[in-house]
Amino acid sequence: MSDQFKQEAAERAAEDVTEGMRLGIGTGSTAEFFVHALAKRVAAGLNIVGVPTSERTRDLATGLGIKLTTLDELPQLDLTVDGADEFDPQLALIKGGGGALLREKIVAAASERMIVIADGSKEVDALGRFPLPIEVVPFGLEATRRAIVTVLSDLGLPQALVLRGGASQPFVTDGGHFILDAHLEKISDVKALAARLVAIPGVVEHGLFIELATKAYVAGTDGVKTVLPI
């Protein structure tokens, strides 16, 4: 049922895309449903240009005939549509389960609006159940890890950090970085954690998306509902 819900949310978001739009196109399983829905509208004559948030999305969109560009060529976007690993009532998000959080955040920040597409399992009262991805540079990894642990300790959060992929074969992002997944259970102060993490020199970006999403389409057994930040 989850794939069906993802598809329903994605198709609803595709209806919000209008002629001539400059569009950020997200990454992940739900975003792929959106790419397919968007491609159908493009094939029917809709004229848009997209900026993909990952090489995977670029390959999929190109193969489906969607016109793409870059933020260097088109630095201001009208709308980004992307999934989320979690979202709270304020539409703060955890993203990065697929490893594309840096490009996703750059594209979202360059957009006037951001629509999140998800199934109901991603809606939570407080962020943290899904591990928080923290993108870090490989150089000085242990020093960066220790600095993150200190921040988590200061904020009363669990200090459980896992290098994605493991030490022998770490996952490498499109930007050439590693990801540390922080298992936090519940984040009581999202903004404080975001500010402390981004101040660490070895941290490239984190998966907390705050005050970026303007609307969410959430699909479940009762259909697709619209969620606005409170």
Side-chain angles (χ1 to χ4, degrees):
M1 291 294 288
S2 179
D3 280 350
Q4 177 185 332
F5 295 153
K6 291 176 181 179
Q7 182 175 355
E8 290 173 359
E11 291 177 348
R12 176 64 185 86
E15 296 174 5
D16 281 16
V17 180
T18 57
E19 180 69 16
M21 201 169 249
R22 303 163 298 178
L23 187 65
I25 306 174
T27 295
S29 58
T30 311
E32 288 181 5
F33 283 114
F34 172 74
V35 175
H36 283 280
L38 180 64
K40 291 179 181 178
R41 295 202 59 200
V42 168
L46 179 69
N47 179 38
I48 61 97
V49 61
V51 173
T53 57
S54 67
E55 298 304 313
R56 178 176 172 177
T57 296
R58 177 182 299 280
D59 292 344
L60 177 62
T62 299
L64 293 172
I66 297 172
K67 180 182 177 182
L68 299 178
T69 187
T70 67
L71 280 182
D72 291 322
E73 297 294 328
L74 199 66
Q76 292 181 305
L77 305 178
D78 301 304
L79 173 68
T80 285
V81 177
D82 205 348
D85 297 305
E86 280 187 348
F87 68 92
D88 70 10
Q90 291 76 41
L91 286 190
L93 320 172
I94 286 182
K95 288 180 55 57
L101 64 139
L102 177 59
R103 295 189 184 185
E104 288 173 335
K105 189 173 285 190
I106 292 171
V107 170
S111 304
E112 291 184 11
R113 296 180 292 130
M114 179 185 184
I115 293 176
V116 172
I117 47 177
D119 63 76
S121 68
K122 307 299 175 63
E123 189 171 9
V124 297
D125 292 331
L127 299 180
R129 182 181 63 192
F130 190 92
L132 174 67
I134 305 169
E135 189 161 346
V136 298
V137 295
F139 177 82
L141 177 62
E142 178 58 19
T144 300
R145 188 195 69 81
R146 287 171 178 258
I148 294 171
V149 166
T150 296
V151 166
L152 300 179
S153 177
D154 287 348
L155 295 176
L157 293 166
Q159 292 102 62
L161 286 175
V162 178
L163 178 64
R164 189 176 298 184
S168 61
Q169 196 172 4
F171 173 87
V172 180
T173 70
D174 284 345
H177 307 126
F178 294 167
I179 289 181
L180 292 169
D181 289 308
H183 296 254
L184 304 178
E185 300 174 6
K186 182 179 180 180
I187 304 170
S188 57
D189 192 334
V190 173
K191 290 184 177 180
L193 177 58
R196 289 287 301 274
L197 287 176
V198 80
I200 298 171
V203 171
V204 180
E205 192 50 86
H206 54 74
L208 293 170
F209 283 51
I210 303 170
E211 296 178 353
L212 288 171
T214 51
K215 179 167 61 175
Y217 288 129
V218 185
T221 55
D222 296 330
V224 179
K225 67 177 181 178
T226 301
V227 177
L228 301 174
I230 62 173

